[in-house]
Amino acid sequence: MNSLTSYEKLFLDTLLDRYEASPSFMGNNVKKQRFYLEPTKLEPKYADDADYDTFVAINQAVENMERAGIVEVDRQENGVVRRVYLNLAKLNDAYCRVEREPKRQRQLRAEGILRSHSECGGCVGRYCDEQLQRLRQNKNLRYCDGLEELSSIIKILSAIEKVDHETYERDFSVRVLGDSKAFGVLKNKIISILTKYGDYPDGEVPDKETVLEELNIMPNPGHVFFKGGGILDLTGQRLDCRCLCGDIGVSSALLDSINSIEVTASRVITIENLTTFNAFSDRDFFAIYLGGYHNAVRRRFIKRIYDQNRQKQFFHYGDIDAGGLHILLHLRRKTGIDFKPYKMDIATLSSNLALIKPLSDNDSRRLRELGSRYSEFSELIEYMLKNKCKLEQEALD
């Protein structure tokens, strides 16, 4: 066999791509299809009389493929090639010539990997189910380039749902993939998969920036920020937050060193936005910065406070919009604490009409969905929909 030229590879790969994307490949086409390409469309220089070298190189490539029987050729009388047709009877020879694995074999191998996990449930099961459907429709797999990557993605998804304590990305990568950097290569794809196929009972998907933290996978030690009426016993040292003029942050590595958390204020409050947290100064509260959807570090800290201060009232202060209500519900569900909304009501909206923002169509849709599921917010949502308004925390600061 002659050595493969660059034009042979280009021609054959293009012809095979067209065949693999066709109804004939799927066996759905009742009419006989022919797959061809025109050299001038693939390489415009072929029609340039001044570029004799390109003309000769393409003709030679076409002759090589024709002698091998893998293409049929339509030529003009002067030897110019009009079209090159793929010979379907010699498909295997075509694949071998370009050292390319047939798509059907790749699909069967992918199907085997996916089927072995499609009944696992959770994110990995939903991801595998949809990819199997895509294979049946002759579509490419989503978020995946190649079978090796597919196997790594499934390993990650299967393992990530079982992580029950804070784990750093590098450690997780070594444990699951045997390489400290391998997870980082796939991180963005994993985040996309988790946001699309993850299980979120409230129907509200976490921000992409926090979805891994929500599952206890951290790039670095996390921190929780708090201030106000509270006293911490940290490895035998007493930290009285009432004596501080601002907030303090404790890393996740130190959380287990906190022996006790005594809330001296009458109420505990979580605050959604950083600007509002910084401006908040009511000393009758022990305030915790939530940062939107709380992550595992903040959740652990909040639950410890609750366990040692059950007689206190717990509040959440967030945006008066669909997102803010979802965060409140998410906070309740994940901590098991009955947080009450703080300044997330009609009175706050109606007294700040100059600061409100209009609802988008998506805002209205999300609010209606919430109203149909949670009667607790029905009056507030009805007011927001009627007046087409929402209010962000920062506007009140």
Short mmCIF file of all heavy atoms in Angstrom, two decimals, residues 313-367:
data_model
loop_
_atom_site.label_atom_id
_atom_site.label_comp_id
_atom_site.label_asym_id
_atom_site.label_seq_id
_atom_site.Cartn_x
_atom_site.Cartn_y
_atom_site.Cartn_z
N GLN A 313 -34.06 32.49 67.62
CA GLN A 313 -34.82 32.59 66.37
C GLN A 313 -33.83 32.69 65.21
O GLN A 313 -32.79 33.35 65.31
CB GLN A 313 -35.71 33.83 66.38
CG GLN A 313 -36.84 33.77 67.39
CD GLN A 313 -37.67 35.05 67.34
OE1 GLN A 313 -37.19 36.14 67.64
NE2 GLN A 313 -38.93 34.92 66.94
N PHE A 314 -34.18 32.05 64.10
CA PHE A 314 -33.30 32.04 62.93
C PHE A 314 -34.01 32.70 61.75
O PHE A 314 -35.14 32.35 61.42
CB PHE A 314 -32.89 30.60 62.57
CG PHE A 314 -31.83 30.04 63.48
CD1 PHE A 314 -32.14 29.66 64.79
CD2 PHE A 314 -30.52 29.91 63.06
CE1 PHE A 314 -31.17 29.16 65.64
CE2 PHE A 314 -29.54 29.41 63.90
CZ PHE A 314 -29.86 29.04 65.19
N PHE A 315 -33.29 33.65 61.12
CA PHE A 315 -33.85 34.41 60.02
C PHE A 315 -32.92 34.35 58.80
O PHE A 315 -31.72 34.13 58.94
CB PHE A 315 -34.04 35.89 60.41
CG PHE A 315 -35.10 36.12 61.44
CD1 PHE A 315 -34.80 36.01 62.79
CD2 PHE A 315 -36.40 36.44 61.07
CE1 PHE A 315 -35.77 36.22 63.76
CE2 PHE A 315 -37.38 36.64 62.03
CZ PHE A 315 -37.07 36.53 63.38
N HIS A 316 -33.51 34.60 57.65
CA HIS A 316 -32.72 34.75 56.44
C HIS A 316 -33.12 36.05 55.76
O HIS A 316 -34.30 36.36 55.60
CB HIS A 316 -32.94 33.59 55.46
CG HIS A 316 -32.26 33.82 54.14
ND1 HIS A 316 -30.89 33.85 54.01
CD2 HIS A 316 -32.78 34.09 52.90
CE1 HIS A 316 -30.58 34.11 52.75
NE2 HIS A 316 -31.70 34.26 52.06
N TYR A 317 -32.11 36.79 55.32
CA TYR A 317 -32.31 38.09 54.69
C TYR A 317 -31.73 38.02 53.27
O TYR A 317 -30.52 37.90 53.09
CB TYR A 317 -31.59 39.15 55.52
CG TYR A 317 -31.76 40.58 55.08
CD1 TYR A 317 -32.77 40.98 54.20
CD2 TYR A 317 -30.92 41.56 55.59
CE1 TYR A 317 -32.92 42.30 53.83
CE2 TYR A 317 -31.06 42.90 55.22
CZ TYR A 317 -32.06 43.26 54.35
OH TYR A 317 -32.20 44.58 53.99
N GLY A 318 -32.62 38.06 52.27
CA GLY A 318 -32.16 37.94 50.89
C GLY A 318 -32.92 38.84 49.96
O GLY A 318 -33.76 39.65 50.37
N ASP A 319 -32.63 38.72 48.68
CA ASP A 319 -33.34 39.50 47.66
C ASP A 319 -34.81 39.12 47.64
O ASP A 319 -35.18 37.95 47.87
CB ASP A 319 -32.75 39.23 46.27
CG ASP A 319 -31.33 39.71 46.13
OD1 ASP A 319 -30.92 40.61 46.90
OD2 ASP A 319 -30.61 39.20 45.25
N ILE A 320 -35.66 40.10 47.34
CA ILE A 320 -37.08 39.79 47.20
C ILE A 320 -37.34 39.51 45.72
O ILE A 320 -37.80 40.36 44.94
CB ILE A 320 -37.95 40.96 47.70
CG1 ILE A 320 -37.52 41.39 49.11
CG2 ILE A 320 -39.43 40.53 47.74
CD1 ILE A 320 -38.30 42.58 49.66
N ASP A 321 -36.98 38.32 45.33
CA ASP A 321 -37.21 37.84 43.96
C ASP A 321 -37.24 36.33 44.00
O ASP A 321 -37.10 35.72 45.07
CB ASP A 321 -36.15 38.38 43.00
CG ASP A 321 -34.73 37.95 43.35
OD1 ASP A 321 -34.55 37.06 44.22
OD2 ASP A 321 -33.78 38.50 42.76
N ALA A 322 -37.41 35.72 42.86
CA ALA A 322 -37.51 34.25 42.82
C ALA A 322 -36.23 33.61 43.34
O ALA A 322 -36.27 32.63 44.09
CB ALA A 322 -37.80 33.78 41.41
N GLY A 323 -35.08 34.17 42.95
CA GLY A 323 -33.81 33.62 43.42
C GLY A 323 -33.68 33.68 44.92
O GLY A 323 -33.22 32.72 45.56
N GLY A 324 -34.05 34.81 45.52
CA GLY A 324 -33.96 34.95 46.96
C GLY A 324 -34.85 33.96 47.70
O GLY A 324 -34.46 33.40 48.73
N LEU A 325 -36.06 33.75 47.18
CA LEU A 325 -36.96 32.78 47.80
C LEU A 325 -36.44 31.36 47.66
O LEU A 325 -36.54 30.54 48.59
CB LEU A 325 -38.36 32.90 47.19
CG LEU A 325 -39.09 34.23 47.45
CD1 LEU A 325 -40.40 34.28 46.69
CD2 LEU A 325 -39.32 34.42 48.94
N HIS A 326 -35.86 31.06 46.51
CA HIS A 326 -35.27 29.73 46.32
C HIS A 326 -34.12 29.50 47.30
O HIS A 326 -33.96 28.40 47.84
CB HIS A 326 -34.77 29.57 44.89
CG HIS A 326 -35.80 29.07 43.94
ND1 HIS A 326 -36.37 27.81 44.05
CD2 HIS A 326 -36.38 29.64 42.85
CE1 HIS A 326 -37.24 27.63 43.07
NE2 HIS A 326 -37.27 28.73 42.34
N ILE A 327 -33.31 30.52 47.53
CA ILE A 327 -32.19 30.38 48.47
C ILE A 327 -32.71 30.12 49.88
O ILE A 327 -32.16 29.29 50.62
CB ILE A 327 -31.30 31.63 48.41
CG1 ILE A 327 -30.52 31.65 47.08
CG2 ILE A 327 -30.33 31.68 49.59
CD1 ILE A 327 -29.75 32.92 46.82
N LEU A 328 -33.75 30.81 50.27
CA LEU A 328 -34.36 30.57 51.58
C LEU A 328 -34.85 29.13 51.70
O LEU A 328 -34.59 28.45 52.71
CB LEU A 328 -35.52 31.55 51.79
CG LEU A 328 -36.42 31.29 53.01
CD1 LEU A 328 -35.61 31.33 54.31
CD2 LEU A 328 -37.56 32.32 53.06
N LEU A 329 -35.54 28.64 50.69
CA LEU A 329 -36.03 27.26 50.71
C LEU A 329 -34.88 26.26 50.73
O LEU A 329 -34.93 25.24 51.44
CB LEU A 329 -36.93 27.01 49.50
CG LEU A 329 -38.26 27.78 49.49
CD1 LEU A 329 -38.89 27.73 48.10
CD2 LEU A 329 -39.21 27.21 50.54
N HIS A 330 -33.87 26.54 49.95
CA HIS A 330 -32.69 25.68 49.90
C HIS A 330 -32.01 25.64 51.27
O HIS A 330 -31.57 24.58 51.73
CB HIS A 330 -31.74 26.24 48.84
CG HIS A 330 -30.49 25.45 48.64
ND1 HIS A 330 -29.29 25.81 49.21
CD2 HIS A 330 -30.24 24.32 47.94
CE1 HIS A 330 -28.36 24.94 48.86
NE2 HIS A 330 -28.91 24.03 48.09
N LEU A 331 -31.92 26.77 51.93
CA LEU A 331 -31.31 26.86 53.26
C LEU A 331 -32.09 26.03 54.27
O LEU A 331 -31.51 25.29 55.07
CB LEU A 331 -31.25 28.33 53.68
CG LEU A 331 -30.57 28.68 55.00
CD1 LEU A 331 -29.11 28.27 54.98
CD2 LEU A 331 -30.71 30.18 55.28
N ARG A 332 -33.40 26.15 54.24
CA ARG A 332 -34.23 25.35 55.15
C ARG A 332 -34.04 23.86 54.91
O ARG A 332 -33.88 23.07 55.85
CB ARG A 332 -35.70 25.71 54.94
CG ARG A 332 -36.13 27.05 55.46
CD ARG A 332 -37.60 27.28 55.08
NE ARG A 332 -38.11 28.55 55.57
CZ ARG A 332 -39.32 29.01 55.25
NH1 ARG A 332 -40.11 28.30 54.44
NH2 ARG A 332 -39.74 30.17 55.72
N ARG A 333 -34.09 23.47 53.64
CA ARG A 333 -34.03 22.05 53.32
C ARG A 333 -32.69 21.43 53.70
O ARG A 333 -32.63 20.34 54.25
CB ARG A 333 -34.28 21.85 51.82
CG ARG A 333 -34.44 20.38 51.44
CD ARG A 333 -34.67 20.18 49.96
NE ARG A 333 -33.45 20.37 49.20
CZ ARG A 333 -33.22 21.40 48.39
NH1 ARG A 333 -34.12 22.36 48.25
NH2 ARG A 333 -32.09 21.49 47.73
N LYS A 334 -31.60 22.14 53.41
CA LYS A 334 -30.27 21.58 53.64
C LYS A 334 -29.86 21.58 55.11
O LYS A 334 -29.05 20.75 55.53
CB LYS A 334 -29.24 22.36 52.82
CG LYS A 334 -29.28 22.07 51.34
CD LYS A 334 -28.80 20.66 51.05
CE LYS A 334 -28.62 20.43 49.56
NZ LYS A 334 -28.06 19.09 49.28
N THR A 335 -30.39 22.52 55.89
CA THR A 335 -29.99 22.59 57.31
C THR A 335 -31.01 21.96 58.24
O THR A 335 -30.68 21.62 59.37
CB THR A 335 -29.77 24.05 57.74
OG1 THR A 335 -31.02 24.77 57.62
CG2 THR A 335 -28.70 24.72 56.89
N GLY A 336 -32.27 21.85 57.79
CA GLY A 336 -33.32 21.37 58.68
C GLY A 336 -33.78 22.42 59.68
O GLY A 336 -34.47 22.10 60.65
N ILE A 337 -33.40 23.68 59.46
CA ILE A 337 -33.74 24.77 60.37
C ILE A 337 -34.87 25.60 59.74
O ILE A 337 -34.83 25.92 58.55
CB ILE A 337 -32.51 25.68 60.63
CG1 ILE A 337 -31.37 24.85 61.22
CG2 ILE A 337 -32.87 26.82 61.58
CD1 ILE A 337 -30.04 25.58 61.27
N ASP A 338 -35.85 25.97 60.56
CA ASP A 338 -37.00 26.72 60.05
C ASP A 338 -36.67 28.22 60.01
O ASP A 338 -37.13 28.99 60.86
CB ASP A 338 -38.22 26.45 60.92
CG ASP A 338 -39.47 27.11 60.38
OD1 ASP A 338 -39.50 27.39 59.16
OD2 ASP A 338 -40.42 27.35 61.16
N PHE A 339 -35.87 28.63 59.03
CA PHE A 339 -35.52 30.04 58.88
C PHE A 339 -36.76 30.85 58.48
O PHE A 339 -37.53 30.44 57.63
CB PHE A 339 -34.46 30.21 57.79
CG PHE A 339 -33.07 29.87 58.24
CD1 PHE A 339 -32.59 28.57 58.14
CD2 PHE A 339 -32.24 30.86 58.75
CE1 PHE A 339 -31.31 28.26 58.55
CE2 PHE A 339 -30.96 30.56 59.16
CZ PHE A 339 -30.48 29.25 59.07
N LYS A 340 -36.92 32.00 59.14
CA LYS A 340 -37.99 32.92 58.79
C LYS A 340 -37.44 34.01 57.86
O LYS A 340 -36.30 34.45 58.03
CB LYS A 340 -38.56 33.58 60.05
CG LYS A 340 -39.04 32.61 61.11
CD LYS A 340 -40.19 31.75 60.61
CE LYS A 340 -40.70 30.82 61.71
NZ LYS A 340 -41.73 29.89 61.21
N PRO A 341 -38.22 34.46 56.90
CA PRO A 341 -37.74 35.55 56.03
C PRO A 341 -37.67 36.86 56.81
O PRO A 341 -38.55 37.16 57.61
CB PRO A 341 -38.78 35.60 54.92
CG PRO A 341 -40.01 34.97 55.51
CD PRO A 341 -39.54 33.96 56.50
N TYR A 342 -36.63 37.63 56.54
CA TYR A 342 -36.43 38.91 57.20
C TYR A 342 -36.46 40.01 56.14
O TYR A 342 -35.67 39.98 55.18
CB TYR A 342 -35.09 38.91 57.94
CG TYR A 342 -34.71 40.22 58.61
CD1 TYR A 342 -35.22 40.55 59.87
CD2 TYR A 342 -33.86 41.12 57.99
CE1 TYR A 342 -34.87 41.74 60.50
CE2 TYR A 342 -33.50 42.32 58.61
CZ TYR A 342 -34.01 42.62 59.86
OH TYR A 342 -33.66 43.80 60.48
N LYS A 343 -37.39 40.94 56.29
CA LYS A 343 -37.55 42.03 55.33
C LYS A 343 -37.69 41.50 53.90
O LYS A 343 -37.19 42.10 52.94
CB LYS A 343 -36.39 43.01 55.41
CG LYS A 343 -36.36 43.82 56.71
CD LYS A 343 -35.29 44.90 56.66
CE LYS A 343 -35.30 45.74 57.93
NZ LYS A 343 -34.26 46.79 57.91
N MET A 344 -38.35 40.39 53.78
CA MET A 344 -38.64 39.82 52.46
C MET A 344 -40.16 39.72 52.36
O MET A 344 -40.74 38.64 52.36
CB MET A 344 -37.97 38.45 52.30
CG MET A 344 -36.45 38.49 52.39
SD MET A 344 -35.68 36.84 52.41
CE MET A 344 -36.02 36.28 50.75
N ASP A 345 -40.82 40.87 52.31
CA ASP A 345 -42.27 40.92 52.41
C ASP A 345 -42.85 42.08 51.61
O ASP A 345 -42.11 42.90 51.03
CB ASP A 345 -42.70 41.03 53.88
CG ASP A 345 -41.98 42.16 54.62
OD1 ASP A 345 -41.63 43.17 53.96
OD2 ASP A 345 -41.75 42.04 55.83
N ILE A 346 -44.17 42.15 51.59
CA ILE A 346 -44.86 43.20 50.84
C ILE A 346 -44.56 44.57 51.42
O ILE A 346 -44.38 45.55 50.68
CB ILE A 346 -46.38 42.93 50.82
CG1 ILE A 346 -46.68 41.64 50.05
CG2 ILE A 346 -47.13 44.12 50.21
CD1 ILE A 346 -48.15 41.23 50.10
N ALA A 347 -44.48 44.66 52.74
CA ALA A 347 -44.23 45.95 53.38
C ALA A 347 -42.90 46.55 52.92
O ALA A 347 -42.81 47.75 52.64
CB ALA A 347 -44.24 45.79 54.90
N THR A 348 -41.87 45.70 52.81
CA THR A 348 -40.56 46.19 52.36
C THR A 348 -40.62 46.64 50.91
O THR A 348 -40.04 47.66 50.53
CB THR A 348 -39.50 45.10 52.54
OG1 THR A 348 -39.46 44.69 53.91
CG2 THR A 348 -38.12 45.60 52.13
N LEU A 349 -41.33 45.88 50.10
CA LEU A 349 -41.48 46.26 48.69
C LEU A 349 -42.22 47.59 48.54
O LEU A 349 -41.78 48.51 47.84
CB LEU A 349 -42.24 45.17 47.93
CG LEU A 349 -41.46 43.98 47.38
CD1 LEU A 349 -42.42 42.95 46.80
CD2 LEU A 349 -40.47 44.41 46.32
N SER A 350 -43.36 47.68 49.20
CA SER A 350 -44.22 48.86 49.03
C SER A 350 -43.61 50.13 49.59
O SER A 350 -43.93 51.23 49.14
CB SER A 350 -45.59 48.61 49.67
OG SER A 350 -45.44 48.36 51.07
N SER A 351 -42.70 49.99 50.57
CA SER A 351 -42.06 51.17 51.15
C SER A 351 -40.78 51.57 50.41
O SER A 351 -40.13 52.54 50.79
CB SER A 351 -41.75 50.94 52.63
OG SER A 351 -40.86 49.85 52.77
N ASN A 352 -40.43 50.82 49.38
CA ASN A 352 -39.22 51.12 48.61
C ASN A 352 -39.49 51.09 47.11
O ASN A 352 -38.70 50.57 46.32
CB ASN A 352 -38.12 50.10 48.96
CG ASN A 352 -37.60 50.26 50.38
OD1 ASN A 352 -36.76 51.11 50.65
ND2 ASN A 352 -38.11 49.43 51.27
N LEU A 353 -40.61 51.67 46.73
CA LEU A 353 -41.03 51.62 45.33
C LEU A 353 -40.04 52.30 44.39
O LEU A 353 -39.92 51.93 43.22
CB LEU A 353 -42.42 52.26 45.17
CG LEU A 353 -43.57 51.51 45.86
CD1 LEU A 353 -44.88 52.26 45.68
CD2 LEU A 353 -43.68 50.10 45.32
N ALA A 354 -39.32 53.27 44.92
CA ALA A 354 -38.35 53.97 44.07
C ALA A 354 -37.15 53.10 43.74
O ALA A 354 -36.37 53.42 42.83
CB ALA A 354 -37.88 55.25 44.76
N LEU A 355 -36.98 51.99 44.48
CA LEU A 355 -35.79 51.15 44.32
C LEU A 355 -36.07 49.84 43.59
O LEU A 355 -35.15 49.08 43.31
CB LEU A 355 -35.19 50.83 45.70
CG LEU A 355 -34.82 52.03 46.57
CD1 LEU A 355 -34.37 51.56 47.95
CD2 LEU A 355 -33.74 52.86 45.91
N ILE A 356 -37.34 49.57 43.32
CA ILE A 356 -37.69 48.28 42.74
C ILE A 356 -37.22 48.17 41.29
O ILE A 356 -37.01 49.17 40.61
CB ILE A 356 -39.21 48.00 42.81
CG1 ILE A 356 -39.99 49.05 42.01
CG2 ILE A 356 -39.67 47.94 44.24
CD1 ILE A 356 -41.47 48.76 41.91
N LYS A 357 -37.07 46.93 40.84
CA LYS A 357 -36.73 46.65 39.45
C LYS A 357 -37.87 45.88 38.80
O LYS A 357 -38.61 45.15 39.47
CB LYS A 357 -35.44 45.82 39.38
CG LYS A 357 -34.19 46.60 39.75
CD LYS A 357 -32.94 45.77 39.48
CE LYS A 357 -31.68 46.57 39.70
NZ LYS A 357 -30.46 45.79 39.38
N PRO A 358 -38.03 46.00 37.47
CA PRO A 358 -39.12 45.28 36.79
C PRO A 358 -38.81 43.79 36.67
O PRO A 358 -37.65 43.39 36.61
CB PRO A 358 -39.17 45.95 35.42
CG PRO A 358 -37.78 46.46 35.21
CD PRO A 358 -37.27 46.88 36.55
N LEU A 359 -39.85 42.99 36.63
CA LEU A 359 -39.69 41.56 36.43
C LEU A 359 -39.46 41.25 34.96
O LEU A 359 -40.09 41.84 34.08
CB LEU A 359 -40.94 40.81 36.89
CG LEU A 359 -41.31 40.85 38.37
CD1 LEU A 359 -42.62 40.08 38.58
CD2 LEU A 359 -40.21 40.25 39.23
N SER A 360 -38.57 40.31 34.70
CA SER A 360 -38.43 39.78 33.35
C SER A 360 -39.46 38.67 33.16
O SER A 360 -40.10 38.22 34.11
CB SER A 360 -37.02 39.24 33.14
OG SER A 360 -36.81 38.09 33.95
N ASP A 361 -39.60 38.20 31.94
CA ASP A 361 -40.51 37.07 31.69
C ASP A 361 -40.06 35.85 32.48
O ASP A 361 -40.89 35.10 33.01
CB ASP A 361 -40.55 36.75 30.19
CG ASP A 361 -41.24 37.82 29.37
OD1 ASP A 361 -41.99 38.62 29.97
OD2 ASP A 361 -41.02 37.86 28.15
N ASN A 362 -38.74 35.64 32.56
CA ASN A 362 -38.23 34.50 33.31
C ASN A 362 -38.51 34.66 34.80
O ASN A 362 -38.83 33.69 35.50
CB ASN A 362 -36.73 34.35 33.07
CG ASN A 362 -36.17 33.09 33.68
OD1 ASN A 362 -36.70 31.99 33.47
ND2 ASN A 362 -35.10 33.21 34.46
N ASP A 363 -38.39 35.89 35.33
CA ASP A 363 -38.72 36.15 36.73
C ASP A 363 -40.17 35.76 37.01
O ASP A 363 -40.47 35.08 38.00
CB ASP A 363 -38.55 37.64 37.07
CG ASP A 363 -37.10 38.09 37.09
OD1 ASP A 363 -36.24 37.26 37.42
OD2 ASP A 363 -36.85 39.26 36.78
N SER A 364 -41.06 36.19 36.14
CA SER A 364 -42.49 35.91 36.34
C SER A 364 -42.76 34.42 36.30
O SER A 364 -43.54 33.89 37.12
CB SER A 364 -43.31 36.63 35.27
OG SER A 364 -43.14 38.04 35.35
N ARG A 365 -42.12 33.73 35.36
CA ARG A 365 -42.33 32.29 35.27
C ARG A 365 -41.88 31.58 36.55
O ARG A 365 -42.59 30.74 37.09
CB ARG A 365 -41.55 31.73 34.07
CG ARG A 365 -41.63 30.22 33.91
CD ARG A 365 -40.69 29.71 32.84
NE ARG A 365 -39.30 30.05 33.11
CZ ARG A 365 -38.54 29.40 33.99
NH1 ARG A 365 -39.04 28.40 34.72
NH2 ARG A 365 -37.28 29.77 34.17
N ARG A 366 -40.72 31.94 37.04
CA ARG A 366 -40.19 31.30 38.25
C ARG A 366 -41.05 31.62 39.47
O ARG A 366 -41.28 30.75 40.32
CB ARG A 366 -38.76 31.76 38.48
CG ARG A 366 -37.77 31.26 37.42
CD ARG A 366 -36.45 31.97 37.53
NE ARG A 366 -35.73 31.61 38.74
CZ ARG A 366 -34.71 32.29 39.25
NH1 ARG A 366 -34.32 33.42 38.65
NH2 ARG A 366 -34.11 31.89 40.33
N LEU A 367 -41.55 32.84 39.54
CA LEU A 367 -42.41 33.20 40.67
C LEU A 367 -43.73 32.42 40.63
O LEU A 367 -44.21 31.95 41.67
CB LEU A 367 -42.70 34.70 40.64
CG LEU A 367 -41.56 35.61 41.11
CD1 LEU A 367 -41.88 37.07 40.81
CD2 LEU A 367 -41.28 35.43 42.61
#
